[in-house]
Every structure is written in structure tokens, then in C-alpha cells.
Amino acid sequence: MKTRTLLAAAAMTMSVTTAARAQVSDDAVRIGVLTDHSGGFAHLVGKRSVDAAQMAVDDFGGTVLGKPISVITADHQNKADIASALSRKWFETEGVDAITDVAGSAVALATQEIARSRNKIVLVSGAATTELTGKACSATTTQWSYDTYALAKGTAAQVTKQGNGASWFFLTSDYAFGHSLQNEASRFVEANGGKVVGAVRFPFGSSDFSSFLLQGQASKAKVIGLAMSGADLISAIKQAGEFGIVQSGQSLAGLAIYINDVEGLGLKTAQGLTLTTSFYWDMNDETRSWAKRYMERSGGFIPNFITAGTYASVMHYLKAVQAAGTDEGTAVAAKMRDMPVNDFYNKDVAIRVDGRVMHKTFLMEVKKPAESKYRGDYYKVLAEMSGDESFRPLSESQCPLVKAK
């Protein structure tokens, strides 16, 4: 009898302790998708990211710790001040617990600062700057999908290493993102025995690339590196085709290309492009199964690495809330780093102390039209790189969290 009484008391104590620990603010978990709904990247993120976040919530079951999960969204218009105002409002008056996507480096950095002082979670899937896990790192931020270091290293190092990039000329978008891509890529070209013979910068949002492409053509470089993304990238590649740059023996290397860009260009124009990605929907049965479900939900949109990263980040966040027994930011962030990431394309992937998700990356080549058998069959794998090979090593990190560890 005494033993049964003690066991009952222990069970009651555990129940009370668990109930006390399972704390959810406002009796709901709210996730904000802060993204570009109207600008130059809206075709890659925007509604696509909202669909991915909601799909993760639905797959998780719609509730966590017995409380409902909701997804809201807003357009940051690619402006840091608007992103700051929206994230502040979400955190302070609308009960948002985590923000995801945050496409655009300046936007992401601004959002991270608002979240830092409030111990709120930021799941960056749409911004590439390495500062997010570098000198501006935060204990409550994680960076998914990609960054400029991985994109530049994957393409520049591998193309040069394979003997196809002895000399490079860069066409660079004249803002922080483009500068970072060029600087990182140049470093890896030279580290692998290649040479940078020149570069030219152009204003973001340019429509005429003829003079820049002619400079690249005149350089006689083996590779013209495209340190740009979005509408600029599509325009530059189309015009390169009109100049016959690839046909004349030079190759184009994209440092930030999405599968949707390739589809928009068409294989006739995009064939032969090399690029780095962390996700390809047609990689295996598991990625194909997930992508099929996503495309049914999104009206046929082929998921890119930001889409996949948004889903993965939200799913891992919800698993961490469940495991931590609370949606309090500091506790959830710690649990996210303690738990390996496992989903349709991340297998036992670690999150480092600086917040970097250490997934694999792949060097891809865009197929020729005759090689493609169906819609979305656009890539062939040239090289596979581990997380340690893909991302900046902690020995080079400026993150204060690394130094404090």
C-alpha cells in the first residue's frame, strides 16, 4: 500500500511538473511568413513560402502541446524598415512566436535584431548573407537553405577544380548580395588554381546587359560568373544567348539560380549552366513524393531550395516546441540545436552553435533539351558536398556565440 501511494504521488508530481513546463503563450503558436509578395523575388517566395509553411503545420497535425498553430504573412517590400516595423508589431501585439522566410539579406538582418531583444525565433530560409551566422549571429536564429559562401564555393571551387574554370570574369549586381557572391567566388577560384581576369558591376534592376556581356566576351575568360539573382539573372542569361556567348566557347556559371529560373528560361537557353543548390525535387523517391504533394497544393509550382527550407524550418521548429514543452524562444532555440534535423531531404543534419543548418549541397548542370524526359527534369548532379565542405568553418567564424562556447 505504501509503495502504491508513493508511486501515485510521484505520478501526480510528474503530471504537475509536465503541465507547468508545457507553457504556450496566448494559448496558441503563431508563425509569421515575412516575405516578398510584390517585388522581384515574389515569383520564388511569397505565396510559395506561405504554402510551404502551412503544409508543414498541416503535416505536423495543426496543434502542438495541445494548442492550435496558425500561419500569417505580410509583404516586407524588400525594405528593412518595413520588415522591422512588421516584425516588431507581430512580436509585441499579435503574439507571433517565430518568423520564417525573410527573403532578402537586409530584411533578414533587420528582423533578426528585432527578434534578438525579444528572445523570439527567426527561421531564415530566404536570405543568403553569411552575417546572419557570422558577426550578427543570434542564439534564436537559424539559417536554412543556402548562403553566399556555400553558393560561391560550390560553383566556383568545383567548376575550377574540375578543370573547366581556368579563368573567370564576373558580372556582379551592385549591392551587398552581389558583392559578397563575387568576393567569395573569387577566393575559391584562386584557391583552386584559377584566375579572375576581370569583373563589371551593374545597377540592380537593369534591363540591358549588352555592354556588360560584351566586356565578359572580350575578356576571353573560360567562365562568366553571374553574381546576381532574380529578374537580373534571367535577363542576363537571355541576352547572353542572343550574343552566342556559350556557342562561342565560354560557359556561364550562376551563383544564385533557382529551378524556377531555369524553367522560365527554357532548357534551350539555360542548357549547360552550372549552379549550386541544397535541394532538387527530383533527387530521390522521398523528395519526389514531398514535391508532388507540394505542387498539388501550390498549383503546380516546382519547389525550390527556399520552399524546401521553409517547410523544413517550420517542421523542425514545431518538433522543438513539442520537445521543449514550451514556445519560449530561448528554450526552443536550444532544443532546435540539440535535435538533428530530419525530413524529406535532411538526414541527421546538425545545427551549429552559430545557427547554420549543415545540410549537403550539390553542383548541378542544366540538361540539354534532348536529355530532359519530363517537366522539372532539368538537372544532372556533377558533385555532392557535405555540410562541412559547403559552409564556412567555425574556425573562420566571427560569431560571438562561437567564441563564447
Side-chain angles (χ1 to χ4, degrees):
M1 176 68 72
K2 183 176 180 182
T3 300
R4 286 199 297 271
T5 302
L6 288 171
L7 288 172
M12 184 176 296
T13 300
M14 288 176 64
S15 177
V16 171
T17 301
T18 300
R21 189 173 63 245
Q23 298 293 324
V24 175
S25 57
D26 304 322
D27 288 326
V29 172
R30 298 181 180 87
I31 299 168
V33 183
L34 190 57
T35 186
D36 179 1
H37 279 287
S38 57
F41 302 104
H43 67 295
L44 300 170
V45 290
K47 179 184 180 299
R48 320 304 185 181
S49 293
V50 178
D51 287 339
Q54 187 62 58
M55 183 174 170
V57 169
D58 294 345
D59 285 353
F60 191 79
T63 64
V64 60
L65 299 176
K67 306 299 181 181
I69 309 164
S70 61
V71 175
I72 65 173
T73 188
D75 185 359
H76 58 50
Q77 301 176 44
N78 293 306
K79 296 179 180 177
D81 58 338
I82 291 177
S84 294
L86 285 168
S87 55
R88 185 180 294 108
K89 177 184 177 185
W90 276 357
F91 289 144
E92 293 181 355
T93 66
E94 298 190 16
V96 169
D97 300 290
I99 290 178
T100 189
D101 185 340
V102 227
S105 294
V107 164
L109 288 166
T111 300
Q112 179 170 255
E113 287 309 304
I114 298 298
R116 185 198 307 275
S117 61
R118 294 160 177 79
N119 291 323
K120 295 291 187 176
I121 297 290
V122 182
L123 311 165
V124 180
S125 57
T129 177
T130 55
E131 286 189 23
L132 288 161
T133 53
K135 60 185 179 182
C137 70
S138 168
T140 55
T141 294
T142 48
Q143 189 172 20
W144 304 70
S145 306
Y146 69 134
D147 63 29
T148 53
Y149 183 98
L151 293 182
K153 182 179 182 182
T155 302
Q158 290 295 332
V159 169
T160 305
K161 191 183 299 183
Q162 293 179 12
N164 302 318
S167 57
W168 288 65
F169 183 96
F170 288 97
L171 267 64
T172 302
S173 186
D174 194 10
Y175 71 115
F177 173 72
H179 299 173
S180 180
L181 280 175
Q182 181 191 323
N183 292 339
E184 298 285 12
S186 297
R187 169 186 171 187
F188 294 118
V189 167
E190 292 167 353
N192 286 277
K195 183 179 180 181
V196 177
V197 299
V200 61
R201 292 179 177 179
F202 62 87
F204 176 73
S206 295
S207 58
D208 184 2
F209 288 85
S210 56
S211 64
F212 310 123
L213 288 165
L214 285 172
Q215 290 180 60
Q217 196 170 40
S219 74
K220 304 297 183 184
K222 292 287 186 182
V223 180
I224 296 179
L226 305 174
M228 62 185 83
S229 63
D232 286 341
L233 177 76
I234 293 173
S235 296
I237 293 173
K238 285 181 177 178
Q239 290 172 41
E242 295 169 6
F243 282 101
I245 285 177
V246 174
Q247 291 83 347
S248 65
Q250 292 176 295
S251 62
L252 299 176
L255 300 180
I257 297 182
Y258 304 84
I259 195 167
N260 318 98
D261 296 329
V262 172
E263 181 163 71
L265 288 164
L267 294 185
K268 184 178 179 181
T269 300
Q271 62 182 307
L273 271 170
T274 52
L275 58 102
T276 297
T277 186
S278 64
F279 171 77
Y280 177 38
W281 79 275
D282 203 18
M283 187 68 77
N284 55 51
D285 288 344
E286 197 170 1
T287 57
R288 282 188 286 271
S289 176
W290 178 84
K292 181 180 179 181
R293 291 196 303 114
Y294 175 82
M295 286 189 276
E296 289 172 352
R297 172 186 289 263
S298 65
F301 181 80
I302 297 177
N304 55 50
F305 53 78
I306 293 179
T307 315
T310 299
Y311 177 100
S313 70
V314 171
M315 180 60 74
H316 190 69
Y317 165 72
L318 293 173
K319 289 178 181 178
V321 171
Q322 184 73 47
T326 178
D327 63 352
E328 192 277 321
T330 304
V332 174
K335 186 61 69 174
M336 287 180 71
R337 285 162 169 78
D338 287 343
M339 299 166 55
V341 183
N342 278 293
D343 51 49
F344 56 95
Y345 84 110
N346 295 295
K347 302 302 175 189
D348 290 322
V349 169
I351 300 179
R352 291 192 315 202
V353 63
D354 61 350
R356 176 68 259 168
V357 181
M358 299 297 289
H359 49 65
K360 295 178 181 178
T361 59
F362 304 88
L363 180 70
M364 301 291 197
E365 181 177 284
V366 177
K367 291 183 175 182
K368 297 175 182 177
E371 296 173 320
S372 178
K373 306 304 181 186
Y374 42 84
R375 181 185 175 223
D377 178 24
Y378 299 150
Y379 294 162
K380 51 187 175 183
V381 180
L382 298 182
E384 177 181 314
M385 294 147 283
S386 69
D388 288 337
E389 291 173 310
S390 300
F391 297 103
R392 191 187 304 281
L394 289 180
S395 60
E396 298 179 8
S397 178
Q398 294 181 299
C399 172
L401 298 173
V402 175
K403 297 174 182 178
K405 187 178 179 182

